[in-house]
């Protein structure tokens, strides 16, 4: 069967699942999808292991592919791809949740869902609302869910919008007409370990480690641009979620032409979705050589790029209508293609030669658009699950997503996930060496969780069942009681009602721990009751929002902020709690 000039194998037919960014009409644009969860998990330390430096090796070591992995030997799959003319935007914002009973082997077990909403109703009446937050929502397409202010992509809607965002292992920066080639496209960079700059040694510290190190910025290795972009171009963002967002480059406001960059943490290839633009691929490092590579799928065009820093990159072009992009090397800074081109451009750094190229060839044509996180616990075991939504090629033999896993992810891989690792590994700036994984979802397990940990003294080196105790020696109890007599007499109100929610919370926590110790550890309930009555009065000021600087609900970014800066005019008041919005799922004091 032929479609748009392509040959399609009916036995292994693939179609194209296009990606449609949110329209940028500020009146009609609306995103009513639910937000995903914002929590992030790392392995819990329960064995007293010493911390490992994030960069124990100067170079990326090889990885052994487990037996049974689909990448153990190259596949002879020669399936071809077809493209559907019906463009259906994928659902990229809904949240999948796992809870209740789940099959494990042949047994059904009861599990506890980790993610439960604290509250879903409107803020209580004693927390006033206001919408005059001074930080502008710079070119953010309106959405109903909260706009988090502490996410990896925030630089794309703050300040001058020309600072980098890190998806790890790559970083992206809007060039915005800067540097030597004056590009207006999206610059992509990756930093190897040997590019770091280390500060002076701390000779007074064992081992004399460097006092600091710096990862270089503003290296424009590959820039994804278009000839239409210039000083009238704008950068917008939409679909802002916990682990993903879309960045859009438009020739000018209101233009229907654009490049949409789906930003997803860990994405294996950097993707740009072009709509009716002339391709312009640039490099501030300079092109040494560009060659046309053999196609991995019919309809995907591949280019092998070597830069003047001797680093190898791959570029894949997947046109929406089969049109050859016809990229040609105009100069050592520019590759140009045909005008009015629509399709997907993907780039990736390849440090692994032919084996790396094989991995990227089998990943080209699909890309992640968002990620859902679910987690549950059963006894002492915690299980969490990453599942990505994707766009691009689709069908019975569609490519799996290539996503980079950080070291703590790899340590916790379970089920089939360990077998999806590939030989491709790239250094990250601060999080160790990332491993590329071929999978649309990951399962991770944390065993031996410290579920017996409470407020009482806890010793992880003891056997389970005896690690948490309320027993103290008579000598220890006597010492605590003597100190408690003076501390319980302190003025809790004055110490807790401060001009800082942060330090007020610290003081409340101190007195709460004191009352607990007196009651549970020293077995003096009457003595503890005296302190508890004072603590309740002090805490009531905050529970009724009558502290010195009450909280307000900001309807612009949709979260709680301190009123301190509104009152004092100092945006840095209370560590910027006026500027940093605290949505319900974010950590608060």
């Amino acid at each position: 069967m032929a479609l748009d000039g392509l040959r399609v194998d009916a036995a292994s037919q693939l179609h194209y699942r296009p990606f449609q960014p949110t329209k940028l009409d500020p009146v009609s644009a609306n995103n009513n999808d639910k937000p995903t969860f914002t929590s992030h998990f790392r392995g819990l330390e329960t064995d007293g292991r010493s911390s490992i430096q994030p960069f124990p090796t100067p170079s990326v070591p090889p990885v052994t592919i487990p037996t049974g992995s689909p990448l153990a030997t190259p596949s002879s799959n020669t399936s071809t791809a077809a493209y559907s003319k019906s463009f259906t935007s994928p659902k990229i914002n809904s949240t999948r949740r796992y809870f209740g009973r789940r099959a494990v082997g042949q047994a059904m077990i009861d599990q506890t869902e980790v993610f439960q909403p604290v509250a879903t109703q409107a803020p209580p009446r004693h927390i006033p609302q206001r919408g005059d937050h001074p930080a502008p929502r710079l070119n953010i397409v309106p959405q109903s869910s909260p706009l988090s202010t502490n996410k990896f992509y925030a630089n794309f809607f703050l300040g001058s919008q020309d600072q980098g965002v890190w998806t790890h292992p790559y970083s992206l920066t809007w060039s915005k007409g800067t540097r030597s080639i004056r590009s207006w496209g999206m610059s992509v960079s990756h930093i190897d370990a040997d590019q770091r700059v280390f500060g002076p040694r701390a000779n007074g510290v064992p081992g004399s480690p460097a006092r600091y190190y710096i990862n270089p910025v503003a290296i424009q290795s590959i820039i994804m641009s278009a000839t239409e972009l210039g000083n009238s171009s704008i950068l917008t963002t939409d679909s802002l979620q916990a682990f993903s967002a879309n960045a859009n480059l438009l020739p000018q406001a209101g233009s229907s032409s654009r490049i949409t960059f789906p930003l997803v943490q860990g994405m294996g290839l950097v993707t740009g979705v072009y709509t009716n633009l002339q391709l312009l691929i640039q490099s501030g490092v300079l092109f040494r050589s560009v060659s046309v590579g053999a196609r991995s799928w019919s309809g995907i065009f591949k280019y092998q790029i070597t830069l003047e820093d001797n680093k190898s990159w791959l570029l894949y072009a997947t046109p929406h209508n089969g049109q050859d992009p016809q990229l040609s090397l105009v100069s050592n800074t520019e590759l140009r293609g045909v005008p009015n081109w629509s399709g997907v451009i993907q780039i990736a750094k390849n440090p692994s030669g032919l084996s790396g190229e094989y991995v990227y060839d089998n990943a080209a044509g699909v890309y992640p658009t968002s990620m859902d996180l679910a987690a549950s616990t059963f006894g002492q075991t915690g299980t969490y699950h990453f599942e990505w939504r994707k766009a691009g090629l689709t069908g019975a033999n569609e490519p799996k997503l290539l996503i980079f896993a950080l070291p703590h992810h790899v340590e916790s891989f379970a089920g089939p996930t360990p077998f999806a690792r590939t030989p491709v590994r790239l250094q990250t700036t601060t999080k160790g060496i990332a491993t590329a994984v071929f999978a649309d979802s990951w399962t991770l397990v944390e065993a031996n969780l410290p579920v017996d940990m409470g407020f009482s003294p806890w010793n992880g080196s003891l056997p389970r069942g005896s690690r948490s105790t309320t027993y103290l020696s008579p000598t220890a109890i006597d010492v605590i009681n003597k100190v408690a007599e003076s501390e319980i007499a302190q003025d809790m109100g004055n110490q807790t009602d401060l001009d800082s929610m942060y330090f007020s919370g610290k003081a409340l926590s101190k007195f709460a721990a004191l009352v607990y110790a007196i009651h549970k550890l020293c077995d003096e309930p009457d003595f503890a009751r005296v302190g508890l009555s004072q603590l309740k009065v002090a805490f009531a000021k905050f529970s009724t929002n009558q502290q010195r600087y009450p909280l307000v609900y900001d309807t612009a970014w949709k979260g709680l902020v301190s009123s301190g800066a509104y009152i004092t005019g100092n945006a840095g008041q209370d560590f910027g709690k006026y500027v940093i919005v605290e949505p319900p799922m974010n950590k608060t004091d």
Side-chain angles (χ1 to χ4, degrees):
M1 179 178 67
L3 179 63
D4 291 337
L6 302 178
R7 296 295 301 175
V8 181
D9 182 356
S12 57
Q13 191 178 56
L14 291 176
H15 300 280
Y16 196 77
R17 182 196 292 117
F19 176 79
Q20 292 182 334
T22 304
K23 293 183 178 180
L24 300 180
D25 181 353
V27 176
S28 62
N30 187 21
N31 185 341
N32 292 317
D33 295 315
K34 297 178 181 179
T36 54
F37 299 112
T38 60
S39 299
H40 180 70
F41 287 86
R42 294 197 59 172
L44 295 179
E45 176 55 62
T46 60
D47 299 326
R49 295 179 300 173
S50 60
S51 298
I52 301 175
Q53 295 182 23
F55 311 113
T57 54
S59 60
V60 179
V63 63
T64 301
I65 302 301
T67 303
S69 169
L71 294 174
T73 56
S75 169
S76 59
N77 190 330
T78 58
S79 301
T80 57
Y83 297 84
S84 171
K85 293 184 178 180
S86 60
F87 284 2
T88 304
S89 179
K91 296 179 180 179
I92 64 173
N93 291 337
S94 61
T95 301
R96 183 174 179 180
R97 308 175 74 187
Y98 297 82
F99 56 93
R101 296 174 62 82
R102 181 180 295 179
V104 177
Q106 298 299 317
M108 296 296 293
I109 60 175
D110 291 316
Q111 294 183 313
T112 301
E113 185 188 11
V114 171
F115 300 120
Q116 297 286 352
V118 176
T120 58
Q121 66 273 20
R125 292 183 178 180
H126 63 271
I127 298 180
Q129 300 186 25
R130 58 190 303 169
D132 57 340
H133 197 284
R137 277 74 62 205
L138 186 58
N139 292 333
I140 298 177
V141 176
Q143 64 182 55
S144 59
S145 55
L147 300 171
S148 296
T149 58
N150 192 25
K151 294 300 179 187
F152 71 97
Y153 47 74
N155 277 338
F156 279 169
F157 56 70
L158 294 175
S160 58
Q161 298 181 281
D162 59 356
Q163 298 301 304
V165 304
W166 278 260
T167 61
H168 293 297
Y170 299 109
S171 65
L172 293 86
T173 307
W174 184 22
S175 298
K176 206 176 181 182
T178 62
R179 316 295 292 180
S180 59
I181 61 175
R182 304 297 182 187
S183 174
W184 287 86
M186 188 69 73
S187 172
V188 180
S189 178
H190 172 264
I191 304 301
D192 288 310
D194 59 5
Q195 294 177 269
R196 298 193 200 101
V197 178
F198 289 85
R201 296 284 182 178
N203 294 323
V205 178
S208 300
R211 293 182 181 273
Y212 60 85
Y213 71 91
I214 298 172
N215 287 287
V217 296
I219 296 178
Q220 298 176 321
S221 294
I222 301 289
I223 304 173
M224 304 169 73
S225 188
T227 59
E228 293 85 350
L229 297 182
N231 56 13
S232 297
S233 298
I234 64 168
L235 171 63
T236 70
T237 53
D238 67 77
S239 305
L240 276 59
Q241 301 183 58
F243 310 103
S244 63
N246 293 330
N248 311 284
L249 284 178
L250 286 71
Q252 57 273 330
S255 174
S256 60
S257 299
R258 70 195 64 195
I259 313 174
T260 294
F261 299 90
L263 307 174
V264 180
Q265 288 180 308
M267 57 189 186
L269 300 93
V270 180
T271 299
V273 183
Y274 281 69
T275 302
N276 196 30
L277 293 168
Q278 182 176 11
L279 284 173
L280 177 60
I281 307 298
Q282 300 169 291
S283 176
V285 180
L286 306 183
F287 296 115
R288 176 182 297 175
S289 66
V290 179
S291 59
V292 178
R295 298 186 186 184
S296 54
W297 301 91
S298 177
I300 299 181
F301 300 85
K302 181 173 76 172
Y303 298 83
Q304 298 156 321
I305 299 172
T306 302
L307 301 181
E308 286 295 349
D309 60 2
N310 206 35
K311 305 294 174 63
S312 297
W313 292 74
L314 295 167
L315 184 151
Y316 299 90
T318 308
H320 285 165
N321 60 0
Q323 181 186 16
D324 188 337
Q326 299 180 24
L327 285 173
S328 60
L329 190 61
V330 176
S331 69
N332 61 358
T333 63
E334 286 190 5
L335 282 165
R336 291 202 181 201
V338 297
N340 304 317
W341 192 84
S342 294
V344 176
I345 296 294
Q346 294 177 287
I347 63 170
K349 186 177 181 180
N350 179 25
S352 306
L354 290 176
S355 62
E357 190 164 339
Y358 169 74
V359 170
Y360 286 121
D361 283 353
N362 283 273
V366 295
Y367 51 94
T369 57
S370 65
M371 191 198 83
D372 296 334
L373 169 63
S376 62
T377 60
F378 177 70
Q380 302 170 5
T381 301
T383 301
Y384 55 112
H385 186 79
F386 295 168
E387 183 169 353
W388 285 271
R389 299 184 182 274
K390 64 181 183 179
L393 295 175
T394 182
N397 295 317
E398 69 185 55
K400 295 289 187 181
L401 287 173
L402 190 69
I403 305 290
F404 279 97
L406 299 176
H408 67 275
H409 295 138
V410 176
E411 288 181 357
S412 300
F413 277 170
T417 309
F419 298 96
R421 290 178 295 164
T422 77
V424 176
R425 309 185 80 193
L426 287 176
Q427 186 75 60
T428 67
T429 54
T430 60
K431 302 179 184 297
I433 298 170
T435 301
V437 179
F438 253 138
D440 293 342
S441 62
W442 297 351
T443 298
L444 304 94
V445 172
E446 300 289 352
N448 302 316
L449 298 178
V451 295
D452 55 349
M453 182 183 292
F455 292 110
S456 58
W458 185 86
N459 187 340
S461 64
L462 296 177
R464 287 190 178 274
S466 60
R467 300 193 295 185
S468 182
T469 180
T470 58
Y471 172 78
L472 297 178
S473 68
T475 302
I477 291 175
D478 183 60
V479 171
I480 293 174
N481 277 330
K482 289 180 180 178
V483 175
E485 287 180 2
S486 62
E487 291 195 347
I488 207 73
Q490 295 175 5
D491 190 333
M492 294 188 187
N494 284 337
Q495 287 197 34
T496 57
D497 190 12
L498 307 174
D499 61 357
S500 165
M501 288 286 290
Y502 177 83
F503 287 114
S504 293
K506 291 291 186 183
L508 288 168
S509 177
K510 178 188 76 171
F511 288 117
L514 174 62
V515 171
Y516 178 88
I518 296 172
H519 178 63
K520 290 291 187 180
L521 305 182
C522 298
D523 195 23
E524 295 285 352
D526 292 336
F527 186 20
R529 195 172 293 114
V530 175
L532 181 61
S533 62
Q534 297 183 60
L535 183 60
K536 286 181 176 179
V537 173
F539 190 79
K541 279 195 173 184
F542 294 87
S543 62
T544 58
N545 203 31
Q546 295 179 1
Q547 64 272 25
R548 188 175 301 185
Y549 293 138
L551 295 175
V552 298
Y553 182 82
D554 168 49
T555 59
W557 294 89
K558 301 182 177 65
L560 294 177
V561 297
S562 170
S563 62
Y566 286 107
I567 297 171
T568 65
N570 177 15
Q573 174 70 35
D574 198 7
F575 304 102
K577 282 189 167 26
Y578 164 63
V579 177
I580 300 177
V581 178
E582 301 280 9
M585 289 299 294
N586 279 12
K587 180 181 180 295
T588 56
D589 291 319

